[in-house]
């Protein structure tokens, strides 16, 4: 079996997973077209959207004294970068299937039926206008940056301290002084209390910002960037612990054949498949080939996991695990009240029949 795994990265600062509006085109069965409309039925591709966060850590100049002066034991001791694997979401997307292109033929002299087709030729509706569903809001790539120490935290005493150890001592005293000042304001013990609640809020925020900036001199700072990657799989049969991609805490997301990371597996098991037709049923189905062919998708249970953790588990419709059925053109011959049909364009399955 030939499997297709495609990894597409979404860079920071761009919009990730923003679905484009479905563009459709109206096709009318006229005499010029032989009273027929050609369309294509899709097959299913699974899109795995993988969230990866890059964390950049920077050590503070006084990290050696974080435990001595602040009691912090896990301060960043050296600059480094690491990656975290986040959520994995799963959707199905219809893609063109060259083996499932059909022409539906209608009887001459009846009402001219029309179909709305997508750019790929997938059916959307028959004899009724198509109203595309509202597209989900795009997910913007996030970038959360810890601010650098402000110049205001470097008091004259701190700047004049000769050695690093002396600077660390002065900075720690400033931190405790800020904490005491904040507590005095909150308890009402400060000599010069803010005149109103809004002024108090601003003063407290300023003190907290100064404390955070000074604390980063000891514990360090971290900057995070979250990116999303799309991985595409076109399933043809069941899969058991197939390597979808690999992930490294030092390198991030990697190709499935890159042994520099831990494997992330996908398992896919069909749960609904059509029964095998008898020769008579197969012959009857073949005679209806000029009707309106549509998909009846099968279903599969999909699970994505790595190192004992399950990231995604879902029940999905899979066109390749299903079959096709047909509606006879005679259904569309009522000039006064023609049959209307709505499809799911991503699967080619019928959503609703209106008579």
């Amino acid at each position: 079996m030939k499997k297709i795994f495609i990894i597409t990265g979404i860079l920071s600062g761009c919009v990730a997973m923003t679905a484009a509006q479905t563009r459709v085109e109206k096709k009318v069965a006229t005499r010029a077209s032989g009273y027929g409309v050609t369309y294509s039925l899709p097959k299913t591709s699974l899109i795995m959207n993988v969230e990866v966060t890059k964390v950049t850590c920077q050590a503070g100049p006084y990290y050696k004294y974080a435990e001595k002066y602040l009691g912090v034991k896990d301060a960043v001791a050296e600059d480094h970068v690491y990656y975290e694997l986040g959520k994995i979401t799963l959707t199905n997307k219809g893609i063109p299937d060259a083996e499932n292109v059909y022409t539906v033929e209608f009887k001459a002299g009846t009402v001219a039926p029309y179909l709305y087709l997508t750019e790929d030729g997938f059916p959307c509706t028959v004899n009724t206008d198509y109203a595309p569903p509202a597209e989900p809001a795009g997910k913007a790539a996030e970038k959360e940056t810890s601010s650098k120490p402000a110049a205001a935290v470097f008091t004259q005493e701190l700047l004049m301290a000769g050695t690093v150890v002396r600077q660390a001592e002065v900075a720690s005293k400033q931190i405790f002084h800020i904490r005491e000042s904040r507590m005095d304001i909150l308890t009402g013990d400060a000599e010069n209390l803010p005149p109103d609640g809004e002024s108090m809020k601003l003063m407290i925020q300023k003190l907290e910002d100064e404390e955070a900036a000074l604390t980063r001199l000891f514990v360090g700072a971290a900057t995070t960037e979250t990116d999303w990657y799309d991985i595409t799989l076109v399933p043809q049969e069941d899969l058991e612990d197939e390597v979808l991609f690999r992930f490294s805490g030092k390198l991030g997301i990697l190709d499935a054949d890159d042994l520099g990371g831990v494997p992330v597996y996908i398992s896919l098991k069909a749960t609904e498949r059509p029964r095998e037709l008898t020769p008579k049923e197969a012959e009857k189905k073949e005679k209806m080939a000029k009707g309106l062919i549509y998909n009846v998708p099968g279903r599969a249970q999909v699970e994505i996991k790595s190192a004992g953790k399950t990231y995604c588990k879902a029940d999905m419709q899979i066109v390749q695990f299903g079959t096709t059925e047909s509606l006879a053109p005679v259904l569309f011959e009522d000039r006064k009240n023609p049959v209307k049909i709505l499809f799911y364009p991503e699967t080619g399955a019928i959503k609703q029949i209106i008579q």
Side-chain angles (χ1 to χ4, degrees), residues 48-62:
M48 278 67 66
N49 185 244
V50 184
E51 180 185 67
V52 178
T53 299
K54 176 183 178 182
V55 183
T56 303
C57 298
Q58 294 178 306
Y62 310 145

Side-chain angles (χ1 to χ4, degrees), residues 61-72 164-165 168-169 218:
Y62 310 145
Y63 74 90
K64 292 182 179 179
Y65 310 102
E67 183 174 2
K68 178 179 179 180
Y69 291 119
L70 301 182
V72 177
V164 173
V165 64
E169 182 181 357
F218 291 89

